[in-house]
Amino acid sequence: MSKSKQKGTSAETAVVNWLVSKGRKHVERRSLNGASDRGDIAGIPEVVLEIKNCVKMELSGWLKELEVEMINDKAKTGVVIHKKKGTTDVGLWYATMPVGVWYKLLEEAGY
């Protein structure tokens, strides 16, 4: 396995473990699906989670990837979770989504 894949697998596993610790008992890493990718973590219905562990932030490309995965998964929402340099605490990592996706969440929450 390449170093890049190892970093990705490590970050995905960390997010799964963090979500399980928060009570999300059914989350798990997804297998690779190529062009039909539906995100990195399964187990939260209608939500796509794309996990990144990269030195350089490439938000534009990551958000385009997220939007395609949301269509592939027929998901209502999604987020890119990216590792914060210098910490393994997933609760301190970043969560990024398009403003339109965020606003839809806001409306659905009744605001």
Side-chain angles (χ1 to χ4, degrees):
M1 182 183 295
S2 72
K3 185 174 181 176
S4 176
K5 285 212 183 282
Q6 286 176 339
K7 283 175 58 178
T9 297
S10 173
E12 291 166 12
T13 300
V15 172
V16 165
N17 291 341
W18 187 83
L19 289 168
V20 168
S21 79
K22 300 296 181 191
R24 298 288 179 171
K25 306 242 183 270
H26 301 290
V27 294
E28 62 185 15
R29 291 183 58 240
R30 281 194 201 269
S31 59
L32 297 174
N33 290 306
S36 299
D37 196 5
R38 296 171 31 219
D40 294 322
I41 296 176
I44 304 175
E46 299 181 325
V47 177
V48 168
L49 300 174
E50 180 61 30
I51 313 304
K52 298 295 183 185
N53 183 4
C54 303
V55 173
K56 182 179 176 188
M57 278 199 251
E58 298 181 24
L59 294 179
S60 179
W62 296 349
L63 292 175
K64 286 177 187 172
E65 183 179 355
L66 176 68
E67 289 170 349
V68 168
E69 292 170 349
M70 287 173 61
I71 291 167
N72 290 345
D73 196 53
K74 298 177 179 64
K76 287 186 177 180
T77 193
V79 63
V80 177
I81 297 173
H82 40 115
K83 186 178 183 304
K84 180 179 180 181
K85 185 177 180 180
T87 183
T88 57
D89 181 350
V90 173
L92 297 176
W93 293 8
Y94 304 109
T96 303
M97 63 181 59
V99 171
V101 172
W102 167 79
Y103 192 76
K104 188 174 179 182
L105 286 174
L106 195 65
E107 285 184 317
E108 290 178 4
Y111 294 99

